[in-house]
């Protein structure tokens, strides 16, 4: 990535925000569809995990880092690549920053309902998102005919953030199995990956679920929405220009970690790790 993208004054088309690595599959999907889009990704690692926080703390943390992102890069759109922030604080972020377009990652309950034959669908999320009144209202709006079975799994989020890169396929399979069994025992034939972290292990979930259970996420809808509101002026919006490498920043660490994990993620995904967002 050029020094210009790293610089403090250059604007970007899209800024992605999550508590950690969860939103990277969304960024990767967007870059596959619009390679020339100028993107930055901020992982609010100092405040990880968001899924264990009270709603007021989620809003406080998300608002503070969003303000800094907008001031530094003036993105055309901010993709809130975190289900917990999206269901808890998205509307307030829109109110506080009215000049900025926001795209949330709302759990894909409607697509799951359309796929389900039993009309019993699962939602795997953080504990904060699973308990959110927003989820209840969303289900009643888009899938009133279905029963929604929720499971909050903060431990799995932490596994993905801390151990995903070094884990074996067998370890990942064991990590997802309790959730898959939970939904099967509840009679679900489809479940939603309602935390962006879980998308890093989509194939592990699908192998554990087998052919008779659908595993659904919001990646396609979120990226389509983002491309509809931002990046239209990017060079090569039609795909003719060369790709630009996204930049990933972290906000610091509360547990003594260093940036080596995120540097390794970036090397594997062909992103640039730019260190602490300051």
């Amino acid at each position: 990535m050029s020094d210009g993208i790293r610089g403090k004054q250059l604007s970007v088309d899209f800024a992605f925000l999550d508590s950690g690595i969860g939103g990277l599959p969304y960024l990767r999907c967007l870059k596959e569809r619009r390679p020339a889009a100028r993107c930055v990704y901020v992982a609010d690692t100092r405040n990880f995990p968001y899924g264990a926080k009270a709603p007021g703390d989620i809003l406080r943390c998300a608002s503070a880092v969003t303000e800094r992102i907008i001031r530094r890069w003036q993105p055309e759109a901010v993709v809130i690549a975190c289900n917990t922030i999206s269901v808890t604080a998205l509307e307030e972020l829109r109110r506080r920053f009215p000049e900025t377009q926001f795209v949330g990652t709302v759990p894909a309950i409607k697509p799951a309902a359309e796929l389900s034959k039993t009309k019993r669908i699962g939602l795997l999320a953080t504990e904060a998102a699973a308990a959110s009144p927003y989820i209840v209202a969303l289900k009643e709006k888009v899938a009133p005919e279905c029963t929604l079975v929720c499971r909050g799994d903060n431990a799995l989020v932490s596994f993905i953030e801390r151990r995903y890169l070094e884990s074996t396929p067998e370890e990942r399979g064991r990590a997802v199995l309790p959730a898959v069994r939970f939904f099967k025992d509840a009679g679900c034939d489809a479940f939603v990956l309602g935390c962006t972290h879980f998308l890093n292990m989509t194939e592990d979930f699908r192998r554990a679920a087998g052919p008779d259970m659908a595993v659904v996420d919001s990646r396609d809808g979120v990226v389509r929405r983002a491309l509809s509101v931002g990046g239209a002026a990017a060079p090569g919006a039609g795909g003719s220009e060369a790709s630009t490498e996204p930049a990933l920043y972290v906000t610091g660490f509360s547990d003594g970690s260093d940036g080596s994990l995120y540097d390794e993620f970036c090397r594997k995904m062909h992103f640039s790790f730019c260190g602490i967002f300051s």
Side-chain angles (χ1 to χ4, degrees), residues 4-115:
I5 293 288
R6 295 173 185 261
K8 292 187 176 182
Q9 300 304 317
L10 186 63
S11 63
V12 299
D13 301 306
F14 301 98
F16 288 72
L17 172 63
D18 185 41
S19 63
I21 65 168
L24 290 177
Y26 291 83
L27 171 54
R28 183 167 51 193
C29 181
L30 186 145
K31 288 291 291 180
E32 288 171 354
R33 299 187 188 188
R34 188 163 295 171
R38 299 162 299 178
C39 300
V40 65
Y41 184 104
V42 176
D44 191 13
T45 48
R46 181 173 292 279
N47 292 304
F48 178 87
Y50 271 63
K53 291 180 172 16
D57 292 329
I58 293 168
L59 175 58
R60 175 180 56 80
C61 294
S63 182
V65 70
T66 298
E67 182 177 16
R68 293 168 59 204
I69 288 169
I70 293 171
R71 185 169 63 245
R72 180 159 175 177
W73 288 294
Q74 304 89 45
E76 288 189 30
V78 175
V79 180
I80 302 299
C82 171
N83 290 97
T84 300
I85 299 175
S86 294
V87 305
T88 306
L90 180 58
E91 291 309 311
E92 181 61 19
L93 291 175
R94 286 174 170 151
R95 189 190 69 79
R96 293 187 182 189
F97 307 103
E99 301 303 315
T100 300
Q101 293 275 7
F102 284 90
V103 179
T105 46
V106 175
I109 293 174
K110 183 177 180 180
E114 292 171 348
L115 289 171

Side-chain angles (χ1 to χ4, degrees), residues 71-171:
R71 185 169 63 245
R72 180 159 175 177
W73 288 294
Q74 304 89 45
E76 288 189 30
V78 175
V79 180
I80 302 299
C82 171
N83 290 97
T84 300
I85 299 175
S86 294
V87 305
T88 306
L90 180 58
E91 291 309 311
E92 181 61 19
L93 291 175
R94 286 174 170 151
R95 189 190 69 79
R96 293 187 182 189
F97 307 103
E99 301 303 315
T100 300
Q101 293 275 7
F102 284 90
V103 179
T105 46
V106 175
I109 293 174
K110 183 177 180 180
E114 292 171 348
L115 289 171
S116 175
K117 296 182 174 67
T118 66
K119 298 307 173 185
R120 292 182 65 84
I121 58 177
L123 173 66
L124 183 62
T126 64
E127 292 173 11
S132 170
Y134 181 96
I135 295 297
V136 176
L138 178 64
K139 180 266 176 191
E140 289 303 316
K141 178 180 179 181
V142 303
E145 75 284 7
C146 290
T147 298
L148 181 66
V149 179
C150 295
R151 176 182 173 91
D153 200 335
N154 289 354
L156 185 54
V157 176
S158 292
F159 172 88
I160 295 168
E161 184 73 18
R162 306 298 190 206
R163 296 187 54 203
Y164 172 76
L165 270 182
E166 63 184 24
S167 63
T168 65
E170 292 75 20
E171 288 172 328

Side-chain angles (χ1 to χ4, degrees), residues 46 52 62 102 145 150 165 172 182 195 202 219 229 231 275:
R46 181 173 292 279
F102 284 90
E145 75 284 7
C150 295
L165 270 182
R172 294 194 294 273
F182 175 84
C195 170
T202 299
R219 190 171 357 195
V229 301

